[in-house]
Amino acid sequence: MEMGTQYVVKLEPFLLMSKAAKGAAAAKLIQDATTAPGVFVFGELLELPNIQELAGHEQHSRFYSLLQLFAYKTYPDYIQHKDALPVLNDAQTTKLKQLTLVSLAQDSRILPYNELLRVLDMPTVRELEDLIIDAIYLDIVRGKLDQKAGQFEVEYTMGRDLEPGKVEQLLFSLQNWASTTASVLAKLDEKLAEFSTRSTKARKEKEEYDKGYQTTLKEVVDKQKEARNANKQHVFTGRSGLTAAGLAELRREQARQQEREKELEKAKGKDVEDPDSMDVDEPAEGSKGKGRK
């Protein structure tokens, strides 16, 4: 059952009895309804013709004012017009203070203890917290007591009856709210469209940048490959190469060649110095025996 619905149900017995109640009986019915536990809405009872007749009755008009008080007014209103209203019993006083708490909770989510103590005329914080806790159990408000901060944090509250003339004011406020909301939504749609356009543009720019970057990167890599290939074509390895290893091999080969040349020269020198190894010309056949005895 939604918040507030059960209070309409609890008012129904009084609505049935009011059909036959007039004058003093109607005044007594109002007294009973404002005292009864769990009855927190009175708009339907207030609209009944035989109840409204009390407004023009000299003796019972104050009971009609009492019903108006419980329908949409607060405890400070009672204090202000106390002389024109019936004396409240304890149950009525507690209920009116709880209804005042509901009205305050409708106007603000944070209710400081100091303000509640003043408005509800509560002597101590302990009694104030007991009143709030009872209201929470009755399900007319929902929230959290913050003793450290000294405040009541409202989460939800039941709705009270609307005072005559307040419907037009409420409709005007709702129209202003609807107009403001429409304006905000239009502005949000405009911002979202702008953001979408920017996002699309940024995405395209990023794609173009990535494409250009990849193209440039490929060109650089290709040029590096070409440079490496060109270097490989001009560098020779082995004995006649231009690399460090090639030059070293060339020097070793030159040294070996010099060694071979030196050995050949030494070999030629030995052949000249050794007579046994010299060639002797053989004498001519006609001269054989000359000079011999």
Side-chain angles (χ1 to χ4, degrees):
M1 185 177 292
E2 295 182 359
M3 178 176 284
T5 305
Q6 65 269 33
Y7 308 121
V8 176
V9 173
K10 291 186 177 182
L11 182 65
E12 288 181 356
F14 298 97
L15 295 176
L16 294 173
M17 290 185 289
S18 65
K19 294 179 179 180
K22 290 183 178 292
K28 178 66 168 58
L29 182 66
I30 291 174
Q31 186 75 3
D32 293 341
T34 53
T35 303
V39 180
F40 290 98
V41 291
F42 307 92
E44 292 184 53
L45 183 62
L46 194 60
E47 292 174 355
L48 295 176
N50 51 341
I51 297 297
Q52 290 185 352
E53 288 177 0
L54 297 177
H57 197 286
E58 182 179 356
Q59 184 178 357
H60 303 300
S61 60
R62 56 181 184 157
F63 287 97
Y64 181 78
S65 298
L66 178 67
L67 187 59
Q68 288 179 314
L69 178 71
F70 275 83
Y72 39 71
K73 294 185 181 295
T74 63
Y75 186 77
D77 293 319
Y78 168 72
I79 298 299
Q80 185 177 356
H81 304 286
K82 190 174 182 178
D83 295 337
L85 295 166
V87 177
L88 300 182
N89 56 38
D90 291 341
Q92 288 173 319
T93 300
T94 299
K95 181 184 290 190
L96 184 59
K97 288 183 178 182
Q98 290 171 340
L99 288 170
T100 303
L101 176 64
V102 170
S103 295
L104 294 172
Q106 290 174 346
D107 296 333
S108 176
R109 283 191 64 253
I110 303 297
L111 299 177
Y113 281 0
N114 291 337
E115 180 183 355
L116 293 176
L117 288 170
R118 178 183 58 81
V119 173
L120 300 178
D121 193 23
M122 304 297 293
T124 65
V125 173
R126 177 59 183 273
E127 292 186 30
L128 172 63
E129 289 181 338
D130 288 342
L131 179 76
I132 296 173
I133 291 171
D134 289 341
I136 293 174
Y137 278 118
L138 289 168
D139 206 24
I140 59 176
V141 292
R142 296 173 188 168
K144 182 176 68 175
L145 295 171
D146 189 343
Q147 295 178 330
K148 184 176 180 180
Q151 62 187 21
F152 176 53
E153 299 176 4
V154 180
E155 296 177 358
Y156 197 72
T157 177
M158 63 167 281
R160 294 192 66 187
D161 299 307
L162 287 176
E163 187 175 358
K166 289 293 182 69
V167 175
E168 291 77 10
Q169 182 180 348
L170 179 61
L171 288 174
F172 179 75
S173 298
L174 288 174
Q175 288 173 351
N176 287 338
W177 175 82
S179 177
T180 303
T181 302
S183 176
V184 171
L185 289 175
K187 183 64 69 174
L188 285 175
D189 289 339
E190 180 181 342
K191 291 294 183 182
L192 287 173
E194 181 181 350
F195 176 78
S196 179
T197 302
R198 286 184 179 181
S199 179
T200 302
K201 182 179 178 181
R203 185 171 62 253
K204 289 182 179 179
E205 290 177 351
K206 185 178 183 303
E207 290 175 355
E208 292 177 358
Y209 171 81
D210 291 341
K211 184 178 180 180
Y213 174 80
Q214 294 297 331
T215 302
T216 304
L217 182 62
K218 186 176 183 303
E219 291 176 356
V220 171
V221 172
D222 291 342
K223 288 181 179 180
Q224 289 177 345
K225 287 181 179 180
E226 292 176 1
R228 285 197 295 269
N229 292 334
N231 289 335
K232 285 181 180 180
Q233 293 174 1
H234 293 89
V235 174
F236 299 94
T237 59
R239 295 180 180 180
S240 60
L242 297 178
T243 63
L247 291 173
E249 180 64 23
L250 179 61
R251 293 190 187 99
R252 287 194 294 272
E253 180 62 26
Q254 290 174 348
R256 287 194 292 269
Q257 183 65 29
Q258 291 174 358
E259 288 294 330
R260 286 195 294 271
E261 290 176 357
K262 288 180 180 180
E263 289 177 358
L264 289 174
E265 290 178 359
K266 287 181 180 180
K268 289 179 180 180
K270 287 182 180 181
D271 290 341
V272 173
E273 293 177 358
D274 189 356
D276 295 333
S277 64
M278 295 177 61
D279 293 335
V280 179
D281 294 334
E282 292 291 334
E285 184 178 353
S287 63
K288 201 178 265 189
K290 282 184 177 183
R292 293 184 180 179
K293 294 181 178 180

